[in-house]
Amino acid sequence: MGFFDTILFPFKWLVSWIMVQFHDGLTFLGLDAASGVTWTLAIIGLVLVIRAALIPVFVKQIKAQRGMQALQPDMKKLQAKYKGKTDQLSRQAMGQEQMALYKEHGTNPFSACLPMLIQMPFFFSLFQVLSGVAKANADNVGIGAMTHDQVVQFDEATIFGARLSDALLPSLQGGNLTVAIAFLSIIMILAMIASQFITQKQIMSKNMSEEAMQGPFMKQQKMMLYVLPLVFGIGGVNFPIGVLIYWTTTNLWTMGQQFFVIRRMPTPGSPAYREYQKRREAKGLPLLGASKKKTEEEPEVIPEVKGQRSQPQRKNRKKK
Amino acid sequence: MNSSQTQGSAPKRLTAVMNFFWHVPRNILIIVLKLYRRVVSPMYGQVCRFFPSCSAYALEAVTVHGAVKGSWFAMRRIVRCHPWNSGGIDHVPAPVHVNWDDPSTVPLIVQLNHPHVFLAKQQETQSRNSA
């Protein structure tokens, strides 16, 4: 076993185990055990489990967004300090001070790297499970928690005439490309790209503050908006249909979450936020920023830390 | 790295070759990390709760400490970067032989991860030039 296989082994086991559980459950409910539909639903079940496990992360992030109101005054000061300074070092310096500010207020709007990175081994494992099915069938072995019988069943299960482990380009190269594989792959690739694109576009056009939109990363991000569909299109022709299903489902989940965020707790200073405030006004509810300030002004007065905070940094700067 | 300058050209070339191979793992990781920062990072926007961000931290760690130690630092940072950590400023541990006096010799990522240090240096040189 190679280095990556060793790392992926537990994930592979878990991925296949979750899928088998869903498959058995659905079979128990009366679905055909050998049907590709049942295995497709098992893959969707896997997505639901992984994304549901990440809900606490999402909730944490939403709560942090609310806390952002309290540090708006400090943030404004910081923005004024770096106004017009567009060189890379200054932007970085601003980023650093911003982080210090979040830390000081005990709130952080970002969701952290670990939850994002932890999804990757799951994805690679699924990829390995799906692309390894044909080989495991031939070698007479199981995969992870899947028994050999289940592997055979999975390998032979078809949805709309295509197997879940079929991929567009490898089938084409192998000379066994069918209309079903081509059709289903292309539909799924388009769905995957569309869901990704819409989510990204939504975030960029609605849920970014003006400062972020004028920030140094915006140009790059705008370019990626159009480059990524290309990358996924090229990558997608190599993906088994099962992986495409996984990816599209998880994208749709992200999209749903994003719609919720844009509607209910938009980033302060973004177009979505202004719409949100308008809706609140129309309903006669107090504006979010105004109502928060009054309650939080009193504890906020105490931190003379504000003045102190920038000082130790400056000393530090000179020391080095 | 500079020890080769004292000897003749043959050993010099040998050290250069050895250096090249010694740094292959590190340089591969640097390329991978730079690609990640170019291609994957923009997909997610900012998610990191720290300054420098995890990928910037990893790039600096690997650049400064090499493939093995750098990866170890990077891994520990990623494990720290979870929603229940309040985040904030968290720099790569500086190596013993750090020399930041001449910014032109410092890798860009190190400069970007210590903006205040190098902004100050920039101002120093600017005021020196104008004086």
Side-chain angles (χ1 to χ4, degrees):
Chain A
M1 266 206 290
F3 176 66
F4 280 105
D5 287 330
T6 316
I7 290 178
L8 284 184
F9 181 77
F11 291 99
K12 221 165 137 177
W13 194 89
L14 196 61
V15 160
S16 52
W17 186 81
I18 294 170
M19 268 166 40
V20 166
Q21 294 311 305
F22 269 98
H23 177 262
D24 290 353
L26 290 164
T27 312
F28 180 76
L29 290 176
L31 269 79
D32 180 10
S35 163
V37 176
T38 316
W39 283 108
T40 300
L41 290 174
I43 293 173
I44 294 174
L46 174 70
V47 175
L48 297 185
V49 166
I50 293 173
R51 296 309 298 259
L54 289 170
I55 285 179
V57 175
F58 178 62
V59 171
K60 182 95 212 281
Q61 196 188 350
I62 296 285
K63 280 189 182 151
Q65 283 285 5
R66 285 184 177 156
M68 295 306 286
Q69 287 295 337
L71 53 85
Q72 279 305 302
D74 280 351
M75 199 56 99
K76 284 260 157 65
K77 268 183 228 156
L78 190 61
Q79 275 153 5
K81 182 177 165 190
Y82 284 97
K83 202 176 178 195
K85 288 184 182 168
T86 50
D87 61 290
Q88 229 179 347
L89 269 181
S90 297
R91 305 309 304 185
Q92 287 289 104
M94 184 173 162
Q96 177 167 353
E97 285 189 43
Q98 214 167 333
M99 272 306 170
L101 206 58
Y102 293 143
K103 175 91 177 175
E104 183 195 316
H105 284 259
T107 181
N108 200 314
F110 302 112
S111 60
C113 299
L114 193 61
M116 187 199 82
L117 289 173
I118 208 107
Q119 289 178 72
M120 289 187 181
F122 279 101
F123 179 73
F124 287 126
S125 316
L126 182 74
F127 195 92
Q128 284 206 341
V129 168
L130 289 174
S131 49
V133 159
K135 196 177 174 296
N137 189 359
D139 293 352
N140 222 12
V141 291
I143 296 181
M146 252 189 231
T147 62
H148 178 64
D149 287 342
Q150 282 164 329
V151 165
V152 174
Q153 197 183 51
F154 193 119
D155 191 32
E156 281 158 13
T158 58
I159 179 162
F160 304 122
R163 288 178 308 174
L164 293 172
S165 52
D166 281 328
L168 188 59
L169 195 63
S171 303
L172 186 68
Q173 283 160 344
N176 51 3
L177 181 69
T178 64
V179 179
I181 297 173
F183 192 69
L184 206 55
S185 291
I186 290 169
I187 296 264
M188 289 313 293
I189 290 169
L190 290 179
M192 177 176 81
I193 291 173
S195 50
Q196 166 90 38
F197 183 83
I198 293 168
T199 308
Q200 204 61 32
K201 184 92 188 161
Q202 283 279 328
I203 296 174
M204 283 168 65
S205 65
K206 288 199 172 158
N207 204 28
M208 281 182 114
S209 61
E210 268 159 42
E211 296 84 41
M213 275 205 258
Q214 285 152 7
F217 303 111
M218 201 52 197
K219 216 173 168 185
Q220 200 179 8
Q221 217 158 342
K222 260 185 189 152
M223 196 186 73
M224 288 320 281
L225 183 64
Y226 298 97
V227 173
L228 280 177
L230 220 73
V231 173
F232 279 114
I234 294 165
V237 297
N238 289 302
F239 290 169
I241 289 169
V243 171
L244 292 174
I245 293 169
Y246 175 92
W247 205 319
T248 306
T249 316
T250 197
N251 277 357
L252 288 175
W253 180 294
T254 311
M255 202 159 89
Q257 250 181 14
Q258 203 54 51
F259 276 127
F260 177 81
V261 169
I262 286 173
R263 185 93 194 144
R264 304 293 288 279
M265 35 222 36
T267 311
S270 65
Y273 186 72
R274 283 193 288 277
E275 275 175 38
Y276 176 69
Q277 296 285 49
K278 252 182 230 159
R279 280 201 303 275
R280 279 184 82 91
E281 223 168 357
K283 278 184 197 161
L285 293 164
L287 290 185
L288 209 60
S291 69
K292 276 264 163 172
K293 244 182 206 163
K294 265 170 210 155
T295 51
E296 255 149 294
E297 206 117 53
E298 283 163 42
E300 272 318 295
V301 180
I302 307 158
E304 303 140 52
V305 197
K306 265 183 249 164
Q308 276 179 355
R309 199 208 77 248
S310 59
Q311 265 178 354
Q313 264 187 337
R314 284 202 181 153
K315 274 178 192 165
N316 214 352
R317 201 199 300 175
K318 274 175 193 160
K319 226 188 280 168
K320 278 176 188 172
Chain B
M1 257 208 261
N2 300 330
S3 59
S4 57
Q5 282 162 0
T6 50
Q7 295 298 315
S9 78
K12 200 169 162 185
R13 212 170 295 150
L14 189 71
T15 9
V17 169
M18 295 234 306
N19 256 331
F20 173 80
F21 282 108
W22 176 251
H23 286 306
V24 163
R26 183 194 74 170
N27 290 340
I28 289 174
L29 281 179
I30 288 177
I31 291 169
V32 169
L33 283 166
K34 281 188 173 167
L35 264 179
Y36 177 90
R37 282 164 63 76
R38 260 288 143 86
V39 181
V40 184
S41 289
M43 215 158 86
Y44 291 94
Q46 183 168 5
V47 288
C48 191
R49 297 169 77 84
F50 288 100
F51 183 93
S53 71
C54 285
S55 64
Y57 185 99
L59 186 55
E60 183 187 342
V62 170
T63 308
V64 173
H65 291 283
V68 177
K69 214 170 161 191
S71 302
W72 172 242
F73 281 136
M75 210 186 72
R76 288 204 354 211
R77 156 58 100 77
I78 289 168
V79 169
R80 252 177 292 152
C81 192
H82 56 76
W84 287 269
N85 187 318
S86 59
I89 294 167
D90 173 40
H91 288 297
V92 177
V96 217
H97 55 275
V98 66
N99 178 20
W100 282 352
D101 287 337
D102 181 10
S104 64
T105 62
V106 179
L108 179 65
I109 186 65
V110 178
Q111 297 193 34
L112 292 179
N113 286 353
H114 302 266
H116 287 302
V117 180
F118 289 95
L119 269 178
K121 285 233 180 330
Q122 227 174 45
Q123 272 161 8
E124 255 171 51
T125 44
Q126 266 165 19
S127 57
R128 210 181 297 146
N129 288 348
S130 59

